[in-house]
Amino acid sequence: MAWTMATELAKQYDPKEAQQRWLHFWDEHKFFHSEPDPSRTPFTIVIPPPNVTGALHMGHALNNTLQDVLIRWRRAQGYNALWMPGTDHAGIATQAMVERRIAEDEKKTRHDVGREELVRRIWQWKEQYEKRILGQLRELGCSCDWERTRFTLDPMCARAVRQTFFQMFKDGLIFRGKRLVNWDTQLQTSVANDETFTETVKGGFWTFRYPVKDQPGEFIKFSTTRPETMLGDAAVAVHPSDERYQHLIGKTVSIPLVGREIPIIADGLLVKKELGTGAVKVTPAHDYNDYACGQRHNLPLINILNPDGTINENGGPYGGLDRATARQRVVEDMEKLGLFDGREDRDIEMAHSDRSKTPIEPLLSDQWFVRMSELGQSAVDAVKDGRVKFFPERYASSYLDWLGEKRDWCISRQLWWGHRIPVWTRRSQAWTETELREFGLRSAIKSSDTSLLAGGEGFALQAHKDPESGEWISFLCVAPGHEELEKRFEALGYIQDPDVLDTWFSSALWPHSTLGWPEKTPELAYYYPTNVLVTSRDIITLWVARMVITGLYNVGKVPFHHVYIHSKILDGFGEGMSKSKGNGIDPLDIIDRYGTDALRYVMVELATDTQDSRMPVSNVCPHCDTLVPVKHEHMSMRTRKVTCPSCKKPFRPGGPWPAPDAELQTAKQASERFDKGRHFANKLWNAARFLLMNLEGYRADAIALNELPIEDRWILSRLATTTAAVTRSLEEYKFSEAIRHIYDFTWSEFCDWYVEMSKGRLREEAGRAGVQRVLLGVLDAILRLVQPVMPFVAESIWQALNEAAPKRGLPIPAEKATASVVIAPWPSFPNPWQDLAAEARFARMQALVGEVRKVRNLYAVDAKTPLIVSVRCSDVVAKDFRALQAFISMLGGVGELQCGPDAAKPRQAATIVLAEFEAYVGLEGLIDVAAEVSRLEKQRDEKTKHLQRLRAKLGTESFVKNAPTDIVQQLRDQVADLQKQIQTIEKTLQELHGS
């Protein structure tokens, strides 16, 4: 098939136009939809479901770009690839957001509007905001099977959640217990350890005394950061070997605030005798260490808090007071009693709820738990025996360490939005005849029984006797699809538990619930287990471990074979990105400014094996678009006004500002790092434009490797080597390495070298056809390689090639290229194409040309002036250089080349020393030696003075001690760079003086 017409590309790549066009094109043709097909091998990824209330942030951009790279690559390899999308109902986050809106707009609480109305409003909120996050993922280019989008509260997922709970309840793995939990007093719910963060706050350290009973004038002194918890003290503990308190162990003290007597106990685990007074107050119901001590000594658990954080009836006269007020009153009253010994200011490490940002209170509470002993061990075994592998491998330790603790999992939350716990409860002194008959208990209960398990069709029963009241407390769990049982039990006086399940309970089922479990669907049989999970280290315990547990429990198989943990993106100072800090880049701003391909490129480049990746952040001047680097003082709203160094106009830096500023425009934020991705897309675009303008007379045909000139054999060898390297990198989840291979090959070897070398043959009738086929075939392969990372620019060029040369490819052109690059096969080339000897010859030539160019630039020799180059080397190397002399002359601007073992150094020349040769670039008559020496000496002196100033600054101990670490490191880097520059100038001066 002959080329007949020119297909022109626009002068510049337009990423916005490409995104709009190809998103619609891909959707229209359903390229990303997958159906079970036994004749093909599946490759499956389930998306970590973003919160339904969420908006795209850099963490999403990184995580989803990497998943998309994998799914596009495997699809190209011929796998039946399914990327399952969906969203998470995010119980606490979503309810908190809607409650906040109701409070602001209507001045009402959730209790004012009622459960049914609140849930209805949250569903409305979900319908609105789910479209936003899913739409943003589409903008990112995510090639999900959007027809299969799931939601953790949709009927399919809800059935899986209900079935799992029922089976675990029936098996005795779910139980009701009174335990110490993290309590969010604002949202009035329990939260997991992993859903809290620690923050340093200013606080106090108070010291008090309790009087010892029957020991007039004897007191025991202790200190606390929370005086109000004295109202719940159950003991005072001392170390068993502390001689100061030996005579007091076993005696009691009085808490004068509430008139309670408590024992003095010996506990070597809780108390360190060398710290403080050596005595510790023990409040088992409000401190985790004290709780453990209380269990060891059988101490009473005295809860002093209401769910809203106020003091309850156990606080005596302090009942009803807020914690802060109660603290103040307790201190005042102890001082009046003469039992207050002083206060110190302290920085306190305080746990806060991640959702409400308020302090956490350890609280004794009745909750539902999953027993983790056996379940946790099964998940440990799955990693130890290799069924689940972590990449990088070091992250397996976090997983194993957490599961090794085998802490029971608190799965209940005191919320209204979520999966309501399917348990109905009743308290009674005796079983009714109906219950005995319904539950089949008549023969099961004995007068001595204090607990029992029973069950029947569609229900399971757990019951125990309250030791204080003698009542039976019954918990009935109903399986999904048995609504008639729910009504019958409610008629007997059973009331459904008001709590909902922890969001992570439903998320733990995500890999199999989204495929239809517990039904035996074709999708479950075909796509499960999935292949890889891509996530961050923050949720290894919250999510990854629990998915393995539930997958093994429900399906009998691990949910995925590989877990890839990607790095976390930090700003240039090493701090986490956050809009609240004023260093958070909005991916949508980056897409708007640089294009989606550029964003995706940088996300892949950042995905190294390191734990974190840094990205300097800048404010974008709203007046002139200049990037102004963010400084520490700009963050967290500490600076209201910044002056642009370019246009001199003021603006407000990005941050969590509560309202617009009447005087100052607020800057968006970006990073110059994304320029590299944009430039790469443009480089690829320009190479395609050049090729399309040089296809006249193109005729598709197979190539014969042994008939090709050396430059063609070299580029095809490099293409084959690069393709193999990229494939290997992706198989090992080395994303950054993969894009580096693609970038280096495309930018340097193809565009800068081969395209330049091809221009002469394109002008000649005899050589044009062959070089056109190679150029076109290599570009076709590059598009296939780059498509998983930069799909929009790849598709734009692919479609242009389809119009101009639909029959193309290497080594034998396809009859017709695929309709889209996203379904084009992954490139693969014959092993004989990899010619390492040819690659070595060209690498040597590239090194020579590169060094010659450096000399030209260093001495400011005009680009049109041909240079005389003499290379002292072995005969073998000289032969290679002579064979490539035409390219050395063209690419290096070399007019005369001499090479061999006896090559002489010209009288006035710059010297190049490399491993296999020594080269000399003649400069006689090209430069004014005296003027060049003067210029370089001036440069050296200026740089030396700058170096001395920096060294003096770094030699000041107070500066190094007090300056931010990143500033100190920047100065040290500048010192190292200046030293290298001065060394280069000295070397050049030596050559000039010797010439």
Side-chain angles (χ1 to χ4, degrees):
M1 176 179 177
W3 180 93
T4 56
M5 60 172 287
T7 300
E8 289 191 14
L9 289 177
K11 287 187 176 181
Q12 286 189 325
Y13 172 54
D14 184 346
K16 292 182 182 178
E17 188 274 337
Q19 183 193 55
Q20 294 172 0
R21 176 186 296 185
W22 305 127
L23 284 177
H24 176 73
F25 175 71
W26 296 332
D27 279 350
E28 185 180 37
H29 289 82
K30 297 188 176 183
F31 289 135
F32 308 142
H33 181 61
S34 176
E35 289 288 344
D37 182 353
S39 68
R40 299 175 64 196
T41 303
F43 183 86
T44 315
I45 299 177
V46 291
I47 199 171
N51 288 355
V52 72
T53 59
L56 197 69
H57 55 63
M58 290 304 290
H60 288 135
L62 173 63
N63 178 264
N64 288 285
T65 296
L66 298 182
Q67 290 178 83
D68 199 34
V69 168
L70 289 175
I71 209 77
R72 286 174 178 270
W73 165 56
R74 291 299 194 185
R75 188 183 290 122
Q77 286 190 316
Y79 289 86
N80 188 3
L82 168 64
W83 186 10
M84 177 74 76
T87 56
D88 194 295
H89 66 279
I92 295 178
T94 308
Q95 181 166 324
M97 199 170 291
V98 175
E99 282 194 58
R100 192 179 305 121
R101 176 68 62 86
I102 292 171
E104 291 172 356
D105 295 349
E106 304 175 36
K107 312 301 181 192
K108 292 180 179 179
T109 68
R110 61 170 161 170
H111 301 286
D112 295 325
V113 300
R115 182 170 194 144
E116 186 176 337
E117 175 61 16
L118 179 72
V119 171
R120 186 190 68 80
R121 294 193 190 191
I122 297 176
W123 273 106
Q124 286 182 332
W125 181 275
K126 175 261 179 190
E127 294 301 326
Q128 177 183 355
Y129 283 92
E130 183 181 48
K131 294 175 184 176
R132 178 180 69 174
I133 186 66
L134 292 178
Q136 290 169 346
L137 289 174
R138 283 175 178 261
E139 284 188 58
L140 189 61
C142 294
S143 61
C144 297
D145 186 346
W146 296 107
E147 295 177 36
R148 294 186 181 276
T149 302
R150 301 252 60 88
F151 175 53
T152 51
L153 272 178
D154 69 22
M156 181 184 290
C157 293
R159 177 171 170 77
V161 168
R162 184 84 177 253
Q163 182 63 36
T164 303
F165 187 99
F166 174 75
Q167 194 60 50
M168 286 185 169
F169 183 95
K170 186 177 179 181
D171 290 345
L173 295 171
I174 287 179
F175 67 95
R176 183 81 164 168
K178 187 180 286 290
R179 301 277 183 89
L180 206 60
V181 298
N182 297 314
W183 191 260
D184 183 323
T185 58
Q186 178 169 310
L187 298 175
Q188 297 187 35
T189 181
S190 60
V191 294
N193 289 338
D194 311 86
E195 296 169 316
T196 67
F197 66 95
T198 301
E199 191 172 85
T200 302
V201 299
K202 297 294 182 184
F205 193 60
W206 290 265
T207 301
F208 301 100
R209 287 173 290 138
Y210 280 157
V212 180
K213 185 180 180 184
D214 299 330
Q215 301 285 320
E218 180 112 42
F219 300 89
I220 193 163
K221 188 184 294 187
F222 60 90
S223 299
T224 180
T225 59
R226 299 190 297 162
E228 71 279 7
T229 61
M230 292 160 58
L231 303 173
D233 282 354
V236 175
V238 298
H239 197 278
S241 66
D242 194 332
E243 295 179 357
R244 293 173 294 175
Y245 300 116
Q246 287 289 319
H247 66 294
L248 294 179
I249 296 173
K251 298 187 181 300
T252 62
V253 296
S254 172
I255 305 176
L257 302 173
V258 290
R260 184 188 310 125
E261 283 188 22
I262 58 175
I264 299 172
I265 61 174
D267 193 303
L269 294 177
L270 180 67
V271 182
K272 290 181 173 59
K273 61 182 179 181
E274 66 275 9
L275 294 181
T277 66
V280 176
K281 62 185 285 298
V282 184
T283 318
H286 295 286
D287 181 276
Y288 285 99
N289 292 324
D290 291 5
Y291 178 82
C293 174
Q295 296 298 296
R296 291 192 293 271
H297 296 273
N298 198 29
L299 298 175
L301 302 170
I302 305 168
N303 173 35
I304 63 165
L305 292 181
N306 291 313
D308 63 357
T310 58
I311 305 300
N312 66 18
E313 66 278 4
N314 290 329
Y318 304 92
L321 295 179
D322 176 74
R323 285 164 296 166
T325 305
R327 176 178 297 183
Q328 184 179 347
R329 285 272 301 275
V330 163
V331 174
E332 291 172 355
D333 291 348
M334 288 294 282
E335 187 172 15
K336 289 176 184 176
L337 293 168
L339 301 174
F340 171 52
D341 280 11
R343 177 190 184 278
E344 298 175 18
D345 289 335
R346 285 280 179 93
D347 286 338
I348 309 295
E349 296 295 309
M350 183 175 290
H352 288 69
S353 169
D354 192 46
R355 293 305 176 191
S356 68
K357 313 303 180 188
T358 58
I360 285 291
E361 284 289 347
L363 183 73
L364 196 66
S365 177
D366 288 308
Q367 302 286 343
W368 289 99
F369 295 87
V370 174
R371 300 185 197 277
M372 290 290 285
S373 181
E374 291 183 15
L375 292 172
Q377 188 59 49
S378 69
V380 167
D381 294 342
V383 167
K384 287 188 172 181
D385 64 24
R387 283 174 288 161
V388 175
K389 293 182 179 179
F390 279 81
F391 298 83
E393 189 177 353
R394 65 180 179 271
Y395 288 110
S397 60
S398 302
Y399 170 99
L400 293 171
D401 290 347
W402 183 78
L403 285 172
E405 297 175 8
K406 296 181 179 176
R407 287 181 295 169
D408 291 337
W409 173 16
C410 177
I411 57 171
S412 47
R413 297 291 182 266
Q414 289 63 54
L415 302 168
W416 292 348
W417 172 246
H419 296 274
R420 190 168 177 180
I421 290 176
V423 174
W424 281 255
T425 305
R426 180 172 179 265
R427 297 176 69 105
S428 61
Q429 288 290 341
W431 300 95
T432 66
E433 283 296 321
T434 304
E435 288 174 305
L436 293 173
R437 182 177 65 254
E438 289 277 358
F439 306 153
L441 300 179
R442 190 177 302 281
S443 60
I445 299 178
K446 300 175 183 177
S447 59
S448 60
D449 285 342
T450 57
S451 64
L452 62 89
L453 291 171
E457 180 65 32
F459 74 92
L461 172 72
Q462 294 180 16
H464 67 268
K465 271 189 176 180
D466 186 328
E468 295 181 4
S469 67
E471 290 182 309
W472 279 99
I473 305 175
S474 304
F475 300 106
L476 272 168
C477 183
V478 181
H482 290 79
E483 291 77 10
E484 74 288 349
L485 284 179
E486 297 173 11
K487 294 177 181 178
R488 281 161 56 189
F489 294 147
E490 287 172 356
L492 293 172
Y494 283 82
I495 299 172
Q496 187 174 3
D497 195 303
D499 293 351
V500 299
L501 285 166
D502 175 14
T503 298
W504 294 107
F505 190 90
S506 53
S507 299
L509 313 181
W510 190 246
H512 56 279
S513 67
T514 52
L515 295 171
W517 186 90
E519 304 301 326
K520 294 181 179 180
T521 64
E523 286 80 4
L524 185 67
Y526 182 73
Y527 295 111
Y528 188 93
T530 68
N531 293 81
V532 59
L533 176 77
V534 179
T535 189
S536 70
R537 65 179 183 270
D538 301 339
I539 53 177
I540 290 174
T541 57
L542 278 169
W543 194 41
V544 179
R546 290 166 177 169
M547 281 191 286
V548 176
I549 286 171
T550 61
L552 290 169
Y553 179 75
N554 284 336
V555 192
K557 298 177 183 177
V558 296
F560 30 72
H561 299 298
H562 292 173
V563 179
Y564 172 70
I565 305 295
H566 57 69
S567 58
K568 186 175 182 180
I569 302 177
L570 306 178
D571 70 4
F573 306 116
E575 295 191 23
M577 286 190 176
S578 166
K579 289 184 180 180
S580 63
K581 290 181 183 177
N583 66 346
I585 298 174
D586 187 336
L588 298 180
D589 289 342
I590 299 303
I591 289 173
D592 184 61
R593 182 181 182 85
Y594 299 95
T596 309
D597 292 313
L599 171 66
R600 290 170 62 104
Y601 175 91
V602 173
M603 294 298 96
V604 176
E605 190 180 51
L606 288 174
T608 63
D609 279 349
T610 59
Q611 183 163 290
D612 298 310
S613 300
R614 294 195 178 193
M615 177 184 290
V617 178
S618 295
N619 286 300
V620 181
C621 175
H623 307 291
C624 69
D625 207 44
T626 297
L627 295 188
V628 182
V630 169
K631 298 179 180 179
H632 264 297
E633 58 264 31
H634 296 164
M635 292 163 59
S636 302
M637 300 188 295
R638 290 196 293 268
T639 301
R640 175 177 171 262
K641 184 167 73 172
V642 172
T643 300
C644 174
S646 180
C647 69
K648 311 302 181 187
K649 293 182 180 179
F651 62 85
R652 185 169 69 170
W657 304 101
D661 191 304
E663 300 175 0
L664 298 171
Q665 293 185 53
T666 302
K668 292 183 178 181
Q669 294 184 313
S671 174
E672 61 184 12
R673 187 90 179 249
F674 294 101
D675 279 326
K676 187 176 181 181
R678 175 166 59 184
H679 293 158
F680 186 42
N682 289 334
K683 185 81 168 181
L684 194 56
W685 185 262
N686 289 334
R689 287 189 76 239
F690 168 80
L691 177 56
L692 287 167
M693 289 188 292
N694 285 277
L695 280 183
E696 184 176 357
Y698 166 73
R699 184 178 296 275
D701 201 355
I703 62 167
L705 191 67
N706 58 349
E707 298 175 5
L708 297 178
I710 187 171
E711 65 269 27
D712 288 358
R713 298 200 306 275
W714 167 73
I715 195 65
L716 294 179
S717 177
R718 290 300 304 136
L719 175 61
T721 301
T722 298
T723 299
V726 172
T727 303
R728 184 169 57 252
S729 295
L730 291 176
E731 286 171 345
E732 297 172 355
Y733 304 103
K734 296 183 182 297
F735 294 94
S736 183
E737 190 178 277
I739 193 59
R740 179 173 55 80
H741 288 308
I742 296 171
Y743 179 92
D744 289 347
F745 174 76
T746 304
W747 188 292
S748 177
E749 293 167 331
F750 181 66
C751 294
D752 289 353
W753 292 91
Y754 184 74
V755 168
E756 291 302 315
M757 288 188 287
S758 73
K759 290 180 178 178
R761 290 164 64 197
L762 285 171
R763 288 191 291 267
E764 300 169 359
E765 187 70 30
R768 183 184 303 138
V771 75
Q772 284 177 333
R773 291 175 193 135
V774 175
L775 278 167
L776 195 56
V778 174
L779 180 59
D780 176 280
I782 288 173
L783 297 178
R784 298 170 195 249
L785 289 171
V786 82
Q787 177 268 139
V789 180
M790 306 172 77
F792 295 102
V793 67
E795 188 71 87
S796 297
I797 298 171
W798 186 268
Q799 295 299 330
L801 295 185
N802 277 2
E803 185 178 338
K807 188 175 182 179
R808 62 180 187 274
L810 296 171
I812 300 172
E815 282 301 316
K816 186 178 182 182
T818 58
S820 169
V821 71
V822 304
I823 56 171
W826 187 250
S828 177
F829 303 102
N831 288 334
W833 278 27
Q834 294 191 41
D835 185 342
L836 298 183
E839 291 190 24
R841 288 196 291 274
F842 263 80
R844 194 184 298 126
M845 179 200 75
Q846 289 172 311
L848 174 62
V849 171
E851 292 299 323
V852 169
R853 288 171 173 174
K854 286 181 183 177
V855 170
R856 185 186 291 275
N857 292 334
L858 182 63
Y859 293 99
V861 178
D862 184 81
K864 295 180 180 179
T865 302
L867 298 173
I868 298 173
V869 177
S870 181
V871 183
R872 186 177 296 163
C873 59
S874 68
D875 287 327
V876 173
V877 173
K879 182 179 179 182
D880 287 342
F881 278 143
R882 282 192 287 270
L884 298 170
Q885 183 167 353
F887 301 126
I888 294 172
S889 298
M890 177 178 65
L891 298 170
V894 175
E896 182 179 334
L897 177 69
Q898 298 176 358
C899 48
D902 302 321
K905 178 180 180 180
R907 178 177 169 275
Q908 198 177 84
T911 302
I912 298 166
V913 180
L914 294 177
E916 294 184 277
F917 61 87
E918 194 169 296
Y920 314 104
V921 180
L923 298 173
E924 188 171 12
L926 300 180
I927 61 171
D928 182 332
V929 176
E932 188 65 16
V933 167
S934 176
R935 181 182 72 82
L936 290 172
E937 285 178 340
K938 183 179 180 181
Q939 263 190 24
R940 178 196 60 191
D941 294 344
E942 289 175 352
K943 292 180 185 294
T944 301
K945 288 178 183 178
H946 189 194
L947 179 63
Q948 290 170 345
R949 289 195 297 270
L950 290 178
R951 282 175 168 166
K953 200 167 190 178
L954 289 169
T956 306
E957 186 178 347
S958 59
F959 170 77
V960 174
K961 183 178 179 181
N962 298 320
T965 55
D966 57 287
I967 298 298
V968 174
Q969 187 57 49
Q970 284 177 19
L971 293 182
R972 287 173 175 158
D973 292 343
Q974 287 180 39
V975 166
D977 188 46
L978 281 169
Q979 287 173 330
K980 289 180 182 177
Q981 292 179 38
I982 293 170
Q983 288 172 3
T984 301
I985 292 173
E986 292 284 9
K987 180 182 176 183
T988 306
L989 284 169
Q990 287 176 10
E991 291 183 343
L992 290 172
H993 285 307
S995 61

